[in-house]
Amino acid sequence: QVQLVESGGGLVQAGGSLRLSCAASGRTFSSYAMGWFRQAPGKEREFVAAISWSGLSTYYADSVKGRFTISRDNAKNTVYLQMNSLKPEDTAVYYCTADASSVAIRRVPHYWGQGTQVTVSS
């Protein structure tokens, strides 16, 4: 089993930045692809970003490309999402995800955290 705990969410003004963190435990972290999904009110869950187990490959939704950066520190069992130039439409609950597959991590990841709220005010 893999346990994921997000932190770093909060309220920020449009144009500002937030850095989300996700601490993983339970199984070998370095062997898992990691990612982030989000769900806005009244919307379906949406893929945001993912990173391979090695950190060599990253993937982004078009809506966040150029603004968000995913990274990981395997020594710390932690994945990060740096969010810059935030927009009100980025408001959502952000979920950390994990999967053994760098394909599934972008579609139907096996493991999910509880989520952290990000609210961007105009």
Side-chain angles (χ1 to χ4, degrees), residues 4 6 22 33-37 49 95-99 105 109 111-113:
L4 306 171
E6 303 96 333
C22 174
M34 303 290 294
W36 295 89
F37 275 64
Y95 298 92
C96 180
T97 61
D99 201 283
I105 193 65
Y111 298 102
W112 295 72

Side-chain angles (χ1 to χ4, degrees), residues 38-46 89-93 95:
R38 67 186 182 186
Q39 186 166 24
K43 303 290 186 179
E44 298 285 350
R45 284 183 296 277
E46 174 189 26
E89 50 262 46
D90 294 318
T91 295
V93 176
Y95 298 92

Side-chain angles (χ1 to χ4, degrees), residues 8 12-20 38 48-49 60-71 80-91 94 118 120:
V12 65
Q13 293 181 332
S17 298
L18 280 175
R19 189 195 195 199
L20 305 183
R38 67 186 182 186
V48 177
Y60 297 95
D62 288 342
S63 60
V64 307
K65 202 169 299 181
R67 299 188 297 121
F68 291 10
T69 302
I70 189 170
S71 62
Y80 306 95
L81 186 68
Q82 179 66 46
M83 305 185 294
N84 298 327
S85 302
L86 282 162
K87 306 173 180 179
E89 50 262 46
D90 294 318
T91 295
Y94 283 71
V118 172
V120 184

